[in-house]
Amino acid sequence: MNYRHVYHAGNFADCMKHALLTALLRALSRKNTPFSVLDTHAGIGLYDLSSPQAEATGEWREGIGRLLDLPPDTPDLEPLKDWLALVRQVMKEYAGKMVYPGSPEIVLRALRPGDSLVCCELHPEDQRALRRLFHNNPAVSVHHRDAYEAVTALLPPKTAKRGLVLIDPPFEERSEFTDLVKAVTTARQRFPTGIVAVWYPIKHRSPPRAFFHALQDVGQRNLLNLELSIRPPLDPGLLNGCGLLIANPPFKFDEEGAAILSTLCKYLGDGNTESLVEWIVPE
């Protein structure tokens, strides 16, 4: 309940997560049938990067700040084109203010008629901010409820047979990886046609690897893992990298994800940035 993402919005981890999220939404949009997205840890949707909280860390300057400093027509930014165009459009709509779109806002802008977004946020103040942001949009519903309880209560979606479950915890609890194994298993049981994407931090290698082994032990298959590390994971006191584990990924998403991460490697970090795309368990 103490975690506030505004301190970290737009950092390298957000860039990785949101660029891949945009690609997942693009894949869902290739079919005409409706899709639904459940965002279990939605936050406030939009983040003011000029706020005292964001400026207190300045993390965004080494993330989205670096990418926005590049000319939009930079040739090797092609894999990031759609996501960066969305970020620039949001800022333009807010009169050039440094406003960064979180995952709910990114999803909202990908919705077509018939598609829907369900957001869950437990922090009272953040939940109210999210309701204000989406109060006039019938395609979006906001729930003040626990994320893991929501995976059971809100799946399968009522409005679509396809979609995405995005699970992006703050990792404040020691049990987070254990809880995620249960959440992924439950989400896939209740919504077998859906994509499940789980963001996780990399401070050192052991916790994510134990997470993967636990998923394998409960019989999960078709698991694609993508990671971006800005430094070797040697200091567990630092956020050295992050990953996105995707269950039931779109066709050839390993190739698309690799291109996105390779591009981010060129511009984020201080020369030690590396990416990894691996199948934890094939289909």
Side-chain angles (χ1 to χ4, degrees):
M1 292 296 291
N2 293 324
Y3 179 85
R4 306 301 299 279
H5 189 66
V6 66
Y7 288 93
H8 312 288
N11 67 1
F12 82 91
D14 261 6
C15 292
M16 180 263 203
K17 174 176 61 183
H18 292 147
L20 291 172
L21 171 61
T22 300
L24 287 172
L25 294 166
R26 185 168 58 236
L28 284 169
S29 298
R30 290 183 186 126
K31 292 184 179 180
N32 292 329
T33 53
F35 67 82
S36 180
V37 177
L38 171 60
D39 190 340
T40 63
H41 298 76
I44 63 174
L46 282 173
Y47 298 90
D48 182 358
L49 300 182
S50 64
S51 69
Q53 297 94 330
E55 289 290 5
T57 63
E59 291 182 15
W60 69 269
R61 297 182 183 277
E62 301 304 313
I64 190 62
R66 287 192 183 187
L67 298 172
L68 292 179
D69 282 343
L70 299 168
D73 57 353
T74 302
D76 60 1
L77 288 181
E78 180 66 24
L80 309 180
K81 180 181 67 174
D82 290 351
W83 167 61
L84 288 176
L86 186 154
V87 174
R88 293 181 189 277
Q89 179 62 31
V90 170
M91 291 184 176
K92 181 179 179 181
E93 291 173 9
Y94 282 79
K97 190 175 181 181
M98 291 300 291
V99 177
Y100 181 78
S103 54
E105 184 70 17
I106 291 172
V107 173
L108 173 67
R109 291 168 183 261
L111 298 182
R112 309 158 304 173
D115 298 335
S116 61
L117 167 62
V118 180
C119 300
C120 295
E121 178 53 52
L122 195 57
H123 194 290
E125 186 176 339
D126 288 359
Q127 176 265 146
R128 288 191 291 270
L130 199 61
R131 287 186 185 277
R132 289 194 296 270
L133 181 65
F134 294 140
H135 74 284
N136 282 328
N137 197 314
V140 182
S141 59
V142 178
H143 296 255
H144 183 211
R145 72 191 314 165
D146 175 76
Y148 296 116
E149 185 270 334
V151 169
T152 298
L154 301 177
L155 293 177
K158 296 180 180 179
T159 59
K161 296 181 179 180
R162 301 188 305 123
L164 167 68
V165 181
L166 177 63
I167 308 176
D168 176 21
F171 283 85
E172 290 185 305
E173 304 295 334
R174 290 181 178 271
S175 65
E176 205 78 73
F177 276 116
T178 301
D179 294 337
L180 282 171
V181 173
K182 298 176 183 176
V184 171
T185 302
T186 300
R188 298 192 77 187
Q189 288 172 343
R190 297 187 64 81
F191 191 24
T193 57
I195 301 165
V196 181
V198 178
W199 181 92
Y200 62 88
I202 300 174
K203 294 187 175 182
H204 56 101
R205 287 291 180 193
S206 297
R209 296 296 145 181
F211 171 50
F212 303 154
H213 290 149
L215 287 170
Q216 289 175 283
D217 289 344
V218 297
Q220 291 298 312
R221 300 190 62 79
N222 199 12
L223 301 176
L224 176 67
N225 183 50
L226 305 101
E227 294 184 352
L228 182 73
S229 298
I230 59 171
R231 66 180 70 88
L234 303 176
D235 185 347
L238 297 175
L239 180 62
N240 300 303
C242 62
L244 194 71
L245 180 82
I246 305 176
N248 193 27
F251 181 61
K252 290 190 175 181
F253 197 78
D254 51 347
E255 298 176 12
E256 191 169 0
I260 289 170
L261 296 187
S262 178
T263 304
L264 291 173
C265 279
K266 295 179 183 179
Y267 296 106
L268 303 184
D270 297 314
N272 294 312
T273 305
E274 296 181 346
S275 63
L276 172 68
V277 177
E278 59 179 347
W279 286 97
I280 302 300
V281 187
E283 185 174 7

